[in-house]
């Protein structure tokens, strides 16, 4: 990988993070008027910021957190970033949460779709008597920066959960207890200010406990019909996330930038990932896919999105996707969808 040195744990699949989270982190750093050119360039090498639902390797997210703390000199950066996060960074999950009926339902949906934000973290919500406990676990079987450097991301996620509940309910929801597995920092004053209690460290698990009664509050933004629609979209994205492993996501991110009018070779992609061609093929096989299949998947997605635009033509799509002639694109489109492009076009 070119650019700054990024730590990796070899022999396991790498976790991935929603690009929107890192884009929001950059937004916050820019608001502090800090120099972020290196981080912006690093993000751009992995994906287009405008690409919807893009994924970023976990090691890159780890580097972002480390550099954010260095640039700000703020040991509590994760907490402060979460306090000021843009709800748009949650993408489809944000719409799901807004449409839920109660805070309890929103917390459950958050746990269900947390992998869309970071697939190296499992969130579980358990009702234990008059308490509802939200647990955050770093998945150890992955090449997971949350295992190596948990503090900033875990504190940000816990704080973000509380801030989101307060925004949804427009009340000052107060947790009953907050605990983290990582060691106690030099100062916990900001933790106490934000969470409103003495936070525990060096604990067996990461958790935030809420009063179950507080989570029964109805949300003013509740919309059961929209919830059904957004829920279906989130489930689809979660299924799609499971279909492609971390290596596949990195290849797809590069293809999304370079596939227009010219499909890069496997050798070119391997070079950009600082891998040998054979190693890249081996990793893709381990994820039950191939370079050819990823090209097909991306071409199909881009073609359908393009043809859904009013006035778009099959000839334009053929050029955008690097087909030698429109007839070759038409044959491929039939293979992908079972129908000709004309059935997808909008006049």
């Amino acid at each position: 990988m070119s650019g700054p040195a990024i730590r990796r744990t070899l022999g396991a699949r790498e976790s991935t993070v929603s690009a929107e989270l890192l884009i929001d982190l950059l937004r916050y750093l820019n608001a502090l008027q800090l120099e972020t050119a290196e981080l912006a360039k690093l993000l751009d090498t992995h994906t287009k910021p405008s690409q919807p639902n893009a994924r970023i390797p976990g090691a890159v997210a780890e580097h972002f957190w480390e550099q954010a703390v260095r640039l700000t000199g703020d040991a509590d950066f994760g907490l402060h970033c979460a306090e000021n996060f843009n709800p748009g960074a949650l993408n489809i999950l944000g719409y799901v949460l807004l449409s839920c009926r109660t805070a309890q339902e929103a917390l459950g949906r958050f746990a269900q779709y947390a992998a869309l934000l970071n697939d190296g973290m499992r969130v579980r919500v358990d009702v234990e008597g008059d308490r509802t406990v939200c647990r955050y676990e770093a998945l150890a079987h992955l090449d997971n920066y949350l295992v190596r450097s948990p503090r900033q991301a875990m504190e940000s996620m816990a704080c973000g959960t509380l801030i989101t509940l307060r925004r949804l309910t427009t009340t000052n929801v107060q947790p009953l207890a907050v605990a983290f597995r990582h060691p106690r920092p030099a100062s916990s004053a900001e933790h106490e200010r934000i969470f409103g209690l003495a936070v525990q460290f060096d604990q067996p698990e990461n958790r935030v406990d809420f009063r179950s009664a507080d989570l029964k509050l109805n949300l003013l933004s509740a919309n059961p019909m929209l919830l059904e629609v957004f829920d279906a979209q989130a489930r689809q994205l979660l299924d799609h996330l499971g279909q492609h492993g971390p290596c596949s996501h990195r290849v797809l991110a590069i293809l999304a930038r370079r596939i227009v009018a010219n499909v890069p070779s496997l050798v070119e992609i391997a070079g950009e990932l600082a891998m040998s061609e054979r190693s890249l093929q081996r990793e893709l096989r381990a994820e039950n896919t191939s370079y050819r299949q990823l090209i097909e998947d991306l071409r199909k997605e881009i073609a359908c999105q393009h043809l859904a635009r009013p006035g778009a033509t099959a000839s334009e799509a053929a050029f955008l996707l690097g087909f030698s002639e429109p007839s070759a694109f038409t044959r491929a489109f039939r293979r992908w969808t079972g129908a000709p492009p004309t059935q997808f076009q909008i006049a």
Side-chain angles (χ1 to χ4, degrees), residues 194-242:
I194 291 170
F195 292 109
L197 46 72
V199 173
Q200 296 177 300
F201 298 89
D202 287 305
Q203 297 301 303
E205 58 186 357
N206 305 294
R207 59 187 283 172
V208 180
D209 296 19
F210 298 97
R211 291 183 182 83
S212 296
D214 290 348
L215 301 181
K216 293 178 181 178
L217 294 168
N218 292 323
L219 305 187
L220 296 177
S221 57
N223 190 319
M225 292 182 64
L226 284 179
L227 176 61
E228 186 175 345
V229 173
F230 294 139
D231 210 29
Q233 292 181 18
R235 282 196 303 270
Q236 185 179 24
L237 286 173
L238 198 60
D239 290 342
H240 183 71
L241 182 62

Side-chain angles (χ1 to χ4, degrees), residues 215-322:
L215 301 181
K216 293 178 181 178
L217 294 168
N218 292 323
L219 305 187
L220 296 177
S221 57
N223 190 319
M225 292 182 64
L226 284 179
L227 176 61
E228 186 175 345
V229 173
F230 294 139
D231 210 29
Q233 292 181 18
R235 282 196 303 270
Q236 185 179 24
L237 286 173
L238 198 60
D239 290 342
H240 183 71
L241 182 62
Q243 290 171 5
H244 293 119
C247 184
S248 301
H249 282 296
R250 295 200 299 273
V251 172
L252 286 169
I254 296 172
L255 282 173
R257 298 197 314 269
R258 299 182 53 187
I259 201 169
V260 176
N262 180 36
V263 180
S265 68
L266 177 63
V267 174
E268 291 177 274
I269 299 296
E272 190 158 342
L273 291 172
M275 300 172 66
S276 70
E277 184 179 356
R278 182 172 296 179
S279 295
L280 177 54
Q281 288 175 318
R282 184 169 59 249
E283 286 207 27
L284 292 178
R285 279 198 301 271
E287 294 174 6
N288 298 313
T289 189
S290 66
Y291 184 56
R292 181 182 180 86
Q293 184 58 54
L294 292 177
I295 290 173
E296 291 280 282
D297 291 346
L298 185 60
R299 277 177 154 177
K300 175 185 175 182
E301 183 177 346
I302 293 175
C304 290
Q305 289 176 355
H306 180 76
L307 292 174
R309 298 171 181 169
T313 67
S315 295
E316 292 170 346
F319 172 76
L320 285 172
L321 297 175

Side-chain angles (χ1 to χ4, degrees), residues 37 124 190:
R124 194 172 82 244
E190 284 298 271

Side-chain angles (χ1 to χ4, degrees), residues 43-177:
L43 181 58
D44 191 54
T45 62
H46 288 275
T47 184
K48 289 181 179 178
S50 60
Q51 182 186 350
N53 309 311
R55 308 294 298 182
I56 299 295
V60 175
E62 179 179 16
H63 180 74
F64 264 68
W65 283 116
E66 290 173 347
Q67 293 305 303
V69 172
R70 181 186 65 81
L71 287 168
T72 60
D74 180 6
D76 298 317
F77 179 80
L79 294 175
H80 298 148
C81 186
E83 270 194 303
N84 294 277
F85 88 92
N86 181 350
L90 299 180
N91 214 327
I92 186 63
L93 178 55
Y95 292 108
V96 169
L97 300 182
L98 277 170
S99 304
C100 287
R101 299 166 184 82
T102 66
Q104 181 79 49
E105 185 177 39
L107 195 60
R109 287 298 202 283
F110 166 66
Q112 182 179 355
Y113 299 125
L116 295 178
L117 303 179
N118 188 328
D119 63 13
M121 181 184 296
R122 177 183 293 121
V123 178
R124 194 172 82 244
V125 175
D126 301 303
V127 177
E128 301 176 357
D130 60 356
R131 292 188 176 216
T132 295
V133 182
C134 189
R135 293 179 166 90
Y136 311 83
E137 177 190 1
L139 301 181
H141 69 278
L142 298 175
D143 170 7
N144 191 351
Y145 79 99
L146 293 176
V147 175
R148 297 188 296 266
S149 308
R151 181 185 168 186
Q152 299 300 329
M154 281 297 182
E155 291 185 358
S156 181
M157 189 66 76
C159 179
T161 303
L162 179 61
I163 296 297
T164 298
L165 289 176
R166 286 173 175 172
R167 288 175 176 176
L168 290 172
T169 61
T170 65
T171 60
N172 188 25
V173 175
Q174 289 290 345
L176 293 171

Side-chain angles (χ1 to χ4, degrees), residues 9-45:
T9 300
L10 301 179
R13 295 184 183 181
E14 187 177 7
S15 62
T16 64
V17 177
S18 167
E20 294 293 337
L21 294 183
L22 298 191
I23 292 170
D24 192 59
L25 190 154
L26 274 179
R27 177 199 62 78
Y28 180 56
L29 289 174
N30 287 328
L32 297 176
Q33 298 183 331
L34 297 170
E35 175 54 51
T36 60
E38 180 263 324
L39 291 178
K41 183 178 179 181
L42 180 60
L43 181 58
D44 191 54
T45 62

